[in-house]
Amino acid sequence: MLYLASQSPRRRELLGRLGLPFGLIDLDVPEQRAPGEPAEDYVRRVAREKAGAGLLQVMGNPTAVVLGSDTEVVLDDEVFGKPRDAADAAAMLRRLSGRTHQVISAVSLVSPSRELQTVSISDVSFAALTQAQIEAYLAGDQWQGKAGAYAIQGFAESFITRLSGSYSGVMGLPVHETAALLRQFGLEPVPTVATP
């Protein structure tokens, strides 16, 4: 039985695209980067900790496979977490404006007997943003709860001049890499029938 250890509706949607039934595990794992910890190592560690914490909740199920994932925006080795408030979000967007940053998305898959992990790193280039554009964007709520103060599947997509990597990885779960991990656990993704 596959479980997703995440509260993210985006991850639920993306994993759902692979056509496998899965249960949800609601957990809250602290996301605190250790001093001197490389950004990629931090993202990998948080994904592993989420999967491990999820597995502890379903240990009574010997066939449980738990997926944990973490996605972070990184610029100049600084990890941009979720903004505390609109002022913090504005500061993040000003830093990202006119620059190329990385989005690191790690996926851990664990069962009682094995663990596998993969990581997707995408380069995302933002156009130069005016103060008026930033203020107009912050007037809505799409920046709230989003790493780097933006979601690629929302209005902020209009800020992006170039993407090299995984669109779904920037959303929060790299679908291609996730499908490959699932296959290694004997879980074969299946196309779903679209409803008209």
Short mmCIF file of all heavy atoms in Angstrom, two decimals, residues 15-47:
data_model
loop_
_atom_site.label_atom_id
_atom_site.label_comp_id
_atom_site.label_asym_id
_atom_site.label_seq_id
_atom_site.Cartn_x
_atom_site.Cartn_y
_atom_site.Cartn_z
N LEU A 15 0.93 13.19 -7.55
CA LEU A 15 1.03 11.75 -7.36
C LEU A 15 -0.20 11.06 -7.95
O LEU A 15 -0.10 9.98 -8.54
CB LEU A 15 1.17 11.42 -5.86
CG LEU A 15 1.38 9.93 -5.53
CD1 LEU A 15 2.60 9.37 -6.24
CD2 LEU A 15 1.48 9.74 -4.02
N GLY A 16 -1.36 11.70 -7.84
CA GLY A 16 -2.59 11.15 -8.40
C GLY A 16 -2.52 10.96 -9.91
O GLY A 16 -3.19 10.08 -10.46
N ARG A 17 -1.69 11.75 -10.58
CA ARG A 17 -1.55 11.62 -12.04
C ARG A 17 -0.95 10.28 -12.45
O ARG A 17 -1.05 9.89 -13.62
CB ARG A 17 -0.69 12.76 -12.59
CG ARG A 17 -1.35 14.13 -12.47
CD ARG A 17 -0.45 15.22 -13.00
NE ARG A 17 -1.03 16.54 -12.75
CZ ARG A 17 -0.43 17.68 -13.05
NH1 ARG A 17 0.77 17.68 -13.63
NH2 ARG A 17 -1.01 18.84 -12.79
N LEU A 18 -0.29 9.59 -11.51
CA LEU A 18 0.36 8.32 -11.84
C LEU A 18 -0.60 7.15 -11.75
O LEU A 18 -0.22 6.01 -12.02
CB LEU A 18 1.58 8.11 -10.94
CG LEU A 18 2.71 9.12 -11.18
CD1 LEU A 18 3.85 8.90 -10.21
CD2 LEU A 18 3.20 9.07 -12.62
N GLY A 19 -1.85 7.40 -11.35
CA GLY A 19 -2.88 6.39 -11.43
C GLY A 19 -2.82 5.30 -10.38
O GLY A 19 -3.51 4.29 -10.50
N LEU A 20 -2.00 5.48 -9.34
CA LEU A 20 -1.91 4.48 -8.28
C LEU A 20 -2.74 4.92 -7.08
O LEU A 20 -2.69 6.09 -6.70
CB LEU A 20 -0.45 4.31 -7.84
CG LEU A 20 0.50 3.69 -8.87
CD1 LEU A 20 1.94 3.87 -8.43
CD2 LEU A 20 0.18 2.21 -9.04
N PRO A 21 -3.49 4.01 -6.46
CA PRO A 21 -4.20 4.40 -5.23
C PRO A 21 -3.19 4.65 -4.12
O PRO A 21 -2.16 3.97 -4.03
CB PRO A 21 -5.06 3.17 -4.92
CG PRO A 21 -4.39 2.03 -5.60
CD PRO A 21 -3.69 2.61 -6.81
N PHE A 22 -3.47 5.63 -3.27
CA PHE A 22 -2.56 5.90 -2.15
C PHE A 22 -3.34 6.51 -0.99
O PHE A 22 -4.36 7.16 -1.17
CB PHE A 22 -1.40 6.82 -2.56
CG PHE A 22 -1.79 8.18 -3.04
CD1 PHE A 22 -1.89 9.26 -2.16
CD2 PHE A 22 -2.07 8.40 -4.39
CE1 PHE A 22 -2.24 10.53 -2.62
CE2 PHE A 22 -2.43 9.66 -4.86
CZ PHE A 22 -2.52 10.73 -3.96
N GLY A 23 -2.82 6.25 0.20
CA GLY A 23 -3.37 6.85 1.40
C GLY A 23 -2.57 8.08 1.77
O GLY A 23 -1.46 8.30 1.27
N LEU A 24 -3.13 8.89 2.66
CA LEU A 24 -2.47 10.12 3.09
C LEU A 24 -2.06 10.01 4.54
O LEU A 24 -2.80 9.49 5.38
CB LEU A 24 -3.41 11.32 2.93
CG LEU A 24 -3.76 11.71 1.49
CD1 LEU A 24 -4.84 12.77 1.49
CD2 LEU A 24 -2.52 12.20 0.75
N ILE A 25 -0.87 10.49 4.83
CA ILE A 25 -0.38 10.58 6.20
C ILE A 25 -0.13 12.05 6.49
O ILE A 25 0.67 12.71 5.81
CB ILE A 25 0.93 9.78 6.39
CG1 ILE A 25 0.70 8.30 6.05
CG2 ILE A 25 1.42 9.94 7.83
CD1 ILE A 25 1.98 7.49 6.04
N ASP A 26 -0.84 12.56 7.46
CA ASP A 26 -0.71 13.98 7.83
C ASP A 26 0.31 14.09 8.94
O ASP A 26 0.10 13.57 10.04
CB ASP A 26 -2.09 14.50 8.29
CG ASP A 26 -2.12 16.01 8.38
OD1 ASP A 26 -1.11 16.65 8.03
OD2 ASP A 26 -3.14 16.55 8.81
N LEU A 27 1.43 14.72 8.67
CA LEU A 27 2.46 14.87 9.69
C LEU A 27 3.12 16.23 9.57
O LEU A 27 2.99 16.91 8.55
CB LEU A 27 3.50 13.75 9.61
CG LEU A 27 4.09 13.38 8.25
CD1 LEU A 27 5.16 14.37 7.82
CD2 LEU A 27 4.67 11.99 8.29
N ASP A 28 3.81 16.61 10.61
CA ASP A 28 4.48 17.90 10.64
C ASP A 28 5.93 17.67 11.05
O ASP A 28 6.23 17.46 12.22
CB ASP A 28 3.78 18.85 11.62
CG ASP A 28 4.28 20.28 11.50
OD1 ASP A 28 4.93 20.59 10.48
OD2 ASP A 28 4.03 21.08 12.41
N VAL A 29 6.82 17.66 10.06
CA VAL A 29 8.25 17.43 10.31
C VAL A 29 8.95 18.78 10.31
O VAL A 29 8.78 19.57 9.38
CB VAL A 29 8.85 16.51 9.22
CG1 VAL A 29 10.36 16.43 9.33
CG2 VAL A 29 8.23 15.13 9.30
N PRO A 30 9.74 19.08 11.35
CA PRO A 30 10.46 20.36 11.38
C PRO A 30 11.40 20.49 10.18
O PRO A 30 12.07 19.53 9.81
CB PRO A 30 11.27 20.30 12.68
CG PRO A 30 10.74 19.15 13.45
CD PRO A 30 10.04 18.24 12.50
N GLU A 31 11.40 21.67 9.58
CA GLU A 31 12.27 21.92 8.42
C GLU A 31 13.25 23.00 8.82
O GLU A 31 12.98 24.19 8.67
CB GLU A 31 11.43 22.31 7.20
CG GLU A 31 10.47 21.21 6.76
CD GLU A 31 9.68 21.57 5.51
OE1 GLU A 31 10.12 22.46 4.76
OE2 GLU A 31 8.61 20.97 5.30
N GLN A 32 14.40 22.57 9.34
CA GLN A 32 15.42 23.51 9.82
C GLN A 32 16.76 23.11 9.24
O GLN A 32 17.25 22.01 9.51
CB GLN A 32 15.46 23.49 11.36
CG GLN A 32 16.34 24.55 11.97
CD GLN A 32 15.80 25.96 11.76
OE1 GLN A 32 14.61 26.19 11.92
NE2 GLN A 32 16.66 26.89 11.39
N ARG A 33 17.34 23.98 8.45
CA ARG A 33 18.64 23.70 7.84
C ARG A 33 19.74 23.82 8.90
O ARG A 33 19.79 24.80 9.64
CB ARG A 33 18.88 24.67 6.70
CG ARG A 33 20.11 24.38 5.85
CD ARG A 33 20.22 25.41 4.75
NE ARG A 33 21.39 25.21 3.92
CZ ARG A 33 21.83 26.09 3.02
NH1 ARG A 33 21.16 27.22 2.84
NH2 ARG A 33 22.90 25.84 2.30
N ALA A 34 20.60 22.82 8.96
CA ALA A 34 21.70 22.84 9.91
C ALA A 34 22.78 23.81 9.44
O ALA A 34 22.96 24.01 8.22
CB ALA A 34 22.28 21.43 10.07
N PRO A 35 23.51 24.44 10.36
CA PRO A 35 24.60 25.35 9.97
C PRO A 35 25.60 24.63 9.07
O PRO A 35 26.06 23.54 9.40
CB PRO A 35 25.24 25.75 11.30
CG PRO A 35 24.16 25.54 12.32
CD PRO A 35 23.36 24.37 11.82
N GLY A 36 25.91 25.23 7.92
CA GLY A 36 26.88 24.66 7.01
C GLY A 36 26.36 23.51 6.16
O GLY A 36 27.10 22.97 5.34
N GLU A 37 25.10 23.13 6.33
CA GLU A 37 24.53 22.02 5.56
C GLU A 37 24.28 22.47 4.12
O GLU A 37 23.57 23.45 3.91
CB GLU A 37 23.23 21.55 6.21
CG GLU A 37 22.61 20.34 5.55
CD GLU A 37 21.35 19.87 6.27
OE1 GLU A 37 20.69 20.69 6.94
OE2 GLU A 37 21.02 18.68 6.16
N PRO A 38 24.85 21.79 3.13
CA PRO A 38 24.59 22.17 1.74
C PRO A 38 23.10 22.10 1.43
O PRO A 38 22.38 21.25 1.97
CB PRO A 38 25.37 21.14 0.93
CG PRO A 38 26.45 20.66 1.86
CD PRO A 38 25.82 20.68 3.22
N ALA A 39 22.64 22.99 0.56
CA ALA A 39 21.21 23.09 0.26
C ALA A 39 20.63 21.76 -0.22
O ALA A 39 19.57 21.34 0.24
CB ALA A 39 20.97 24.19 -0.77
N GLU A 40 21.33 21.10 -1.13
CA GLU A 40 20.79 19.83 -1.65
C GLU A 40 20.72 18.78 -0.56
O GLU A 40 19.74 18.02 -0.47
CB GLU A 40 21.63 19.32 -2.82
CG GLU A 40 21.07 18.04 -3.42
CD GLU A 40 21.87 17.51 -4.60
OE1 GLU A 40 22.57 18.30 -5.27
OE2 GLU A 40 21.79 16.29 -4.86
N ASP A 41 21.73 18.72 0.31
CA ASP A 41 21.72 17.75 1.41
C ASP A 41 20.55 18.02 2.34
O ASP A 41 19.91 17.09 2.86
CB ASP A 41 23.03 17.83 2.21
CG ASP A 41 24.22 17.32 1.43
OD1 ASP A 41 24.04 16.85 0.28
OD2 ASP A 41 25.35 17.40 1.96
N TYR A 42 20.27 19.30 2.58
CA TYR A 42 19.14 19.68 3.44
C TYR A 42 17.81 19.19 2.86
O TYR A 42 17.00 18.58 3.56
CB TYR A 42 19.13 21.20 3.62
CG TYR A 42 17.83 21.75 4.16
CD1 TYR A 42 17.41 21.48 5.46
CD2 TYR A 42 17.02 22.55 3.36
CE1 TYR A 42 16.21 21.97 5.94
CE2 TYR A 42 15.82 23.05 3.84
CZ TYR A 42 15.42 22.75 5.13
OH TYR A 42 14.24 23.25 5.60
N VAL A 43 17.60 19.44 1.57
CA VAL A 43 16.34 19.03 0.93
C VAL A 43 16.21 17.51 0.95
O VAL A 43 15.13 16.96 1.25
CB VAL A 43 16.25 19.59 -0.51
CG1 VAL A 43 14.96 19.15 -1.18
CG2 VAL A 43 16.32 21.12 -0.49
N ARG A 44 17.30 16.81 0.67
CA ARG A 44 17.28 15.35 0.71
C ARG A 44 16.95 14.85 2.11
O ARG A 44 16.17 13.90 2.28
CB ARG A 44 18.65 14.79 0.27
CG ARG A 44 18.92 14.86 -1.23
CD ARG A 44 20.31 14.29 -1.51
NE ARG A 44 20.64 14.21 -2.91
CZ ARG A 44 20.35 13.16 -3.70
NH1 ARG A 44 19.71 12.13 -3.21
NH2 ARG A 44 20.71 13.16 -4.96
N ARG A 45 17.56 15.48 3.12
CA ARG A 45 17.34 15.04 4.50
C ARG A 45 15.88 15.22 4.92
O ARG A 45 15.28 14.33 5.54
CB ARG A 45 18.27 15.81 5.45
CG ARG A 45 18.03 15.47 6.92
CD ARG A 45 19.03 16.14 7.83
NE ARG A 45 19.02 17.59 7.75
CZ ARG A 45 18.13 18.39 8.36
NH1 ARG A 45 17.14 17.87 9.06
NH2 ARG A 45 18.22 19.71 8.25
N VAL A 46 15.30 16.37 4.58
CA VAL A 46 13.91 16.62 4.97
C VAL A 46 12.97 15.62 4.29
O VAL A 46 12.05 15.09 4.93
CB VAL A 46 13.51 18.08 4.67
CG1 VAL A 46 12.01 18.29 4.86
CG2 VAL A 46 14.28 19.05 5.55
N ALA A 47 13.21 15.33 3.02
CA ALA A 47 12.38 14.34 2.32
C ALA A 47 12.48 12.98 2.99
O ALA A 47 11.47 12.29 3.20
CB ALA A 47 12.80 14.24 0.85
#
